[in-house]
Amino acid sequence: MNATRSSTTENALATNASSPWGGWTAVYRLGIAVIGVLILVVSFTLRDHISAVLWSTAAAIGILMVISWLVHFLVERRMRQPLQDLALVLEKMTEGRFDMPLPATTAVAYPGLAESLAKMSMLVAGRMRQLKTERDQLRIVIDSLAEGVIAVDSEQRIILAGGAACRMFGLTEGTALGRPIWELIRNPQLQEWIATALKQSAPIQGEMQIHTPKTRILAMSVARLAGKPAPGAVVVAHDITEIRRLEKVRQEFVANASHELKTPITSIRAYVETLLNGAIDDDNHRIKFLNTIDEQAGRLDATVRDLLTLAHIEADDANPTPAPTDIAHIAQRCKEHHRPAADRKSVTVTLHAPETPVIVAIGDEALDTILSNLVDNAIKYTSEEGSVTVSWYADDSQGVIEVEDTGIGIPQKHLDRIFERFYRVDRGRSRDQGGTGLGLAIVKHMVQSADGSIEISSTVGRGTTFTLRFPLAQPS
């Protein structure tokens, strides 16, 4: 580039060299250089000073930040601990524990909040106690009901089951709650009633039969719970098994009583009509017909008297007077009364008496009626050369009487019904023996009226034993 310098540049240089001001230019340049050096020196000096100031400022700021952080940490910790303690107390309250004392740190840090929390805790605790008391009372009422109560939600899941309902349906409340009712009670009719009740306002009523744990007849009522949509339904079950059984017994009683009365009346009318039509003049048949009429009239009279006796016993004012009664005296009188019937069949009647007299609270007439019926039956259904034994003894606070025979016995399947009115194991044989079918029913009612009990054990072909228990009479 030096080789190619332009003429203009060379001229300029020549002019400067030849100018009288050329020395001042050098001085100027030197001054500029000196000033630059001074500036550099001053700059380095100021930079060190400024750097020192900046580092000092940064250090001060750092220290302030550390101090601020420490202050913030300490303040936050002081505020956070009471809040954590408060959160712990609130958590315990959600678990139903309202007796947790409020920590002192919280009470000091937040006195207003602590006071409000204490009041709220007392209020909620009181309300919870009230709700628990009401719930327990409701539970007691439901469990005391004879009716079974089951409440289900809209999905037919069990939310409440009373004690009677658990017994009726064989449920356990602890495992039944929350489960679908159709899963525990498998009855399509009940499921249909619940589904229908959830859709309508009118309750549904009907009867159903269940077989858990034993066959029962239940009168059912299913009604929806108030609300739209219905939050669920309540099922009320009433056990009417005994009512239906008594209705059946009543129907059978009416039918049997009508038959028992109709049979002798029909016989009497037939023989009387035969006599009126000319048989009264027939010496060979007249006496036979009249004996038959007398026999049927006696049977009719015995049936009517037994019916009246039974009706009198069942009356509220017909309980036998619990007068002290010596069993030995009544047993001996009963034996003498039935001696002719026993002698006709060569049946031996034996009394086994204890050494000490046994006095029971029942009354002479009542005990005589009971023993007479039992001994009379024993003689009737004991074969010739058989035996009937009456024994008694004292057992703690009871007097026990046993009437045992060596008769034909009673099949096991008939023992549960043997005390029903007009019930006969063998109807033909019973009528031949002259029984009315009411004797054992009378015995059972009279025993129960005297606060006693009666049991029966029997073996076919070996005999039957009736065991009576009566309260012992209190010494005067």
Side-chain angles (χ1 to χ4, degrees):
M1 185 176 177
N2 293 333
T4 60
R5 248 191 281 188
S6 66
S7 59
T8 305
T9 304
E10 291 178 353
N11 292 333
L13 289 173
T15 302
N16 290 331
S18 61
S19 174
W21 299 96
W24 289 106
T25 301
V27 174
Y28 173 75
R29 288 180 177 177
L30 180 61
I32 293 296
V34 172
I35 292 172
V37 171
L38 291 174
I39 291 174
L40 289 174
V41 173
V42 172
S43 297
F44 280 112
T45 304
L46 291 175
R47 185 183 65 180
D48 292 339
H49 181 70
I50 292 171
S51 178
V53 172
L54 291 175
W55 280 107
S56 300
T57 304
I61 293 173
I63 293 173
L64 288 175
M65 291 179 65
V66 171
I67 293 174
S68 299
W69 182 83
L70 289 174
V71 171
H72 173 74
F73 175 77
L74 294 175
V75 172
E76 181 187 12
R77 183 179 179 183
R78 184 177 180 183
M79 296 177 64
R80 182 175 56 191
Q81 187 61 41
L83 293 177
Q84 290 178 344
D85 295 340
L86 178 62
L88 179 61
V89 173
L90 291 175
E91 182 179 355
K92 296 300 182 181
M93 290 177 63
T94 60
E95 297 174 358
R97 296 182 58 184
F98 299 97
D99 55 347
M100 292 289 294
L102 196 65
T105 55
T106 305
V108 173
Y110 306 101
L113 179 61
E115 183 180 357
S116 299
L117 183 63
K119 291 181 180 179
M120 183 188 71
S121 177
M122 294 179 59
L123 179 63
V124 174
R127 191 64 55 86
M128 291 295 293
R129 287 193 297 269
Q130 181 181 358
L131 291 175
K132 185 178 183 301
T133 301
E134 294 176 355
R135 183 193 63 186
D136 293 343
Q137 291 175 346
L138 178 61
R139 185 78 232 183
I140 292 173
V141 171
I142 292 177
D143 287 341
S144 301
L145 293 175
E147 293 78 9
V149 179
I150 298 177
V152 298
D153 59 15
S154 58
E155 300 296 329
Q156 298 192 24
R157 291 187 296 264
I158 297 177
I159 58 177
L160 183 145
C166 291
R167 291 189 294 271
M168 288 179 186
F169 297 102
L171 304 178
T172 302
E173 186 181 12
T175 59
L177 296 182
R179 297 178 62 182
I181 190 171
W182 44 263
E183 185 178 296
L184 300 174
I185 305 175
R186 301 185 181 276
N187 188 290
Q189 183 65 64
L190 178 59
Q191 299 171 24
E192 181 181 348
W193 285 341
I194 296 176
T196 304
L198 289 171
K199 300 176 183 178
Q200 65 181 40
S201 58
I204 298 175
Q205 296 180 343
E207 291 185 11
M208 60 177 282
Q209 192 175 70
I210 60 174
H211 304 281
T212 54
K214 63 179 181 179
T215 301
R216 297 174 182 268
I217 301 175
L218 303 178
M220 307 293 295
S221 176
V222 184
R224 62 178 288 176
L225 297 175
K228 292 184 179 181
V234 60
V235 179
V236 180
H238 181 63
D239 191 346
I240 58 173
T241 306
E242 185 65 15
I243 295 176
R244 292 291 178 261
R245 188 190 71 81
L246 292 176
E247 288 180 354
K248 183 178 180 181
V249 169
R250 179 182 58 80
Q251 293 172 355
E252 292 179 352
F253 169 73
V254 173
N256 290 332
S258 300
H259 180 75
E260 293 295 332
L261 295 175
K262 181 179 179 181
T263 300
I265 291 175
T266 301
S267 298
I268 292 172
R269 291 191 61 184
Y271 283 109
V272 168
E273 183 178 353
T274 302
L275 290 172
L276 292 177
N277 287 337
I280 194 172
D281 297 326
D282 187 346
D283 294 338
N284 295 327
H285 294 89
R286 179 175 57 194
I287 301 301
K288 178 182 177 181
F289 289 168
L290 291 175
N291 287 333
T292 302
I293 292 172
D294 180 66
E295 178 184 346
Q296 294 299 324
R299 178 179 170 186
L300 183 62
D301 177 66
T303 301
V304 172
R305 281 189 289 104
D306 283 349
L307 285 173
L308 292 174
T309 300
L310 193 59
H312 178 68
I313 293 172
E314 291 179 341
D316 293 338
D317 57 348
N319 293 334
T321 303
T325 301
D326 188 350
I327 297 178
H329 173 69
I330 302 300
Q332 185 63 41
R333 187 168 67 183
C334 181
K335 177 182 178 180
E336 296 299 327
H337 177 74
H338 290 91
R339 183 186 297 277
D343 291 343
R344 283 195 295 269
K345 295 186 66 176
S346 299
V347 173
T348 303
V349 179
T350 306
L351 304 181
H352 285 173
E355 295 181 357
T356 305
V358 180
I359 311 299
V360 292
I362 182 174
D364 290 0
E365 184 178 352
L367 185 58
D368 183 66
T369 301
I370 292 170
L371 283 181
S372 291
N373 274 286
L374 294 178
V375 172
D376 181 60
N377 278 348
I379 294 174
K380 286 179 180 178
Y381 297 104
T382 298
S383 302
E384 294 185 1
E385 306 299 331
S387 65
V388 175
T389 303
V390 180
S391 58
W392 61 94
Y393 57 91
D395 180 20
D396 294 333
S397 61
Q398 292 182 322
V400 183
I401 305 174
E402 294 180 351
V403 179
E404 181 181 2
D405 63 58
T406 59
I408 59 176
I410 303 172
Q412 191 71 25
K413 64 180 181 179
H414 295 287
L415 293 181
D416 291 339
R417 301 189 60 188
I418 199 68
F419 294 104
E420 294 180 9
R421 305 170 188 178
F422 295 114
Y423 186 82
R424 291 185 172 94
V425 177
D426 185 343
R427 292 185 178 274
R429 180 164 184 169
S430 297
R431 289 193 178 95
D432 291 341
Q433 297 291 344
T436 63
L438 296 171
L440 291 181
I442 293 173
V443 168
K444 180 180 179 180
H445 280 284
M446 296 192 75
V447 169
Q448 291 178 340
S449 298
D451 295 329
S453 64
I454 182 169
E455 301 172 0
I456 179 174
S457 61
S458 183
T459 303
V460 175
R462 298 185 60 181
T464 303
T465 301
F466 287 90
T467 303
L468 308 170
R469 298 179 183 274
F470 300 102
L472 291 175
Q474 299 296 327
S476 57

